């Protein structure tokens, strides 16, 4: 159970990255993403090395099922984006760049730290793969709470979310977590989160909800 300490550590790193570089210093958005990627991926690499996590083994378990549920969850999240009013849209090279950088790259990194990471930590802490159904159900609940904890900490780093708006990313993370919670594969939720970001880049690139940090 002591392994669960990694969840608040991850939440702290996510908060500091978004607060210091996305709010306090207010870097240009694309430069912020570069710094954010370096911080988050550096932390995740440290976790993998320090705890001797076999990435290939964990990512390959029920991979097809994880991707299928990830696509379904992504479609549901995309519908949530499309249900809101569009913003002025990008075109040409700027759209292509944003799709790669703000859509796929940021969607994947967010999906890793907000959704996949808390689940993997909880699975390992509870030994869920070898547990009975009652223990697995308990681990699933703890994993979901860990996902909400990291999601909340990360978004509180942005001033836009220090209000009742903090509920929105937690609703999104609950939906986005389902592919991994159901398939027991961390890739599923990463796929769903990429769908969310790509749809936001196309439909509402100036959103103050789906693609933080928001710059007026």
């Amino acid at each position: 159970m002591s392994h669960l300490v990694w969840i608040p550590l991850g939440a702290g790193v996510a908060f500091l990255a978004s607060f210091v570089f996305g709010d306090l210093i207010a870097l240009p958005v694309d430069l912020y993403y570069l710094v954010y990627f370096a911080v988050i991926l550096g932390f995740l690499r440290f976790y993998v090395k320090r705890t001797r996590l076999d990435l290939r083994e964990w990512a390959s378990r029920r991979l097809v099922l994880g991707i299928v549920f990830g696509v379904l969850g992504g479609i549901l999240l995309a519908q949530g984006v499309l249900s809101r009013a569009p913003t002025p849209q990008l075109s040409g090279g700027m759209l292509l760049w944003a799709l790669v950088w703000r859509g796929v790259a940021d969607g994947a990194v967010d999906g890793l730290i907000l959704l996949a990471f808390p689940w993997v930590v909880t699975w390992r802490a509870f030994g869920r793969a070898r547990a009975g159904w009652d223990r697995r159900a308990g681990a699933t609940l703890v994993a979901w709470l860990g996902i909400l904890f990291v999601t909340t900490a990360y978004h509180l780093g942005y001033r836009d979310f220090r209000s009742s708006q903090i509920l929105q990313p937690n609703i999104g993370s609950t939906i986005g977590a389902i592919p991994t919670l159901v398939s027991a594969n961390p890739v599923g939720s990463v796929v769903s989160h990429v769908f969310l970001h790509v749809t936001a880049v196309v439909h509402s690139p100036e959103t103050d909800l789906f693609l933080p940090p928001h710059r007026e």
Side-chain angles (χ1 to χ4, degrees), residues 51-122:
T51 64
R52 299 180 181 179
L53 175 66
D54 188 335
L55 284 176
R56 181 175 298 181
E57 177 188 356
W58 282 77
S60 62
R61 295 176 180 175
R62 305 179 186 88
L63 178 59
V64 173
L65 189 63
I67 293 174
V68 170
F69 277 108
V71 170
L72 294 176
I75 292 173
L76 186 59
L77 288 172
Q79 289 299 317
V81 176
L82 296 174
S83 68
R84 296 175 178 266
T87 69
Q89 306 195 356
L90 303 172
S91 61
M94 188 61 195
L95 174 60
L96 181 60
W97 165 255
L99 282 171
V100 173
W101 195 241
R102 305 179 187 182
V104 176
D106 188 44
V109 174
D110 277 1
L112 285 171
I113 189 64
L114 303 182
L115 306 174
F117 168 71
W119 177 84
V120 169
V121 170
T122 304

Side-chain angles (χ1 to χ4, degrees), residues 41-58:
L41 294 179
F43 169 75
L44 293 177
R45 183 177 185 276
F46 176 72
Y47 169 74
V48 168
K49 295 292 185 181
R50 185 64 180 263
T51 64
R52 299 180 181 179
L53 175 66
D54 188 335
L55 284 176
R56 181 175 298 181
E57 177 188 356
W58 282 77

Side-chain angles (χ1 to χ4, degrees), residues 180-214:
T180 284
L181 295 177
V182 171
S183 69
N185 182 285
V187 174
S189 289
V190 176
V191 171
S192 69
H193 209 77
V194 168
F195 266 74
L196 170 68
H197 278 237
V198 168
T199 305
V201 167
V202 173
H203 180 72
S204 50
E206 295 184 13
T207 175
D208 62 352
L209 177 59
F210 301 110
L211 298 171
H214 175 237

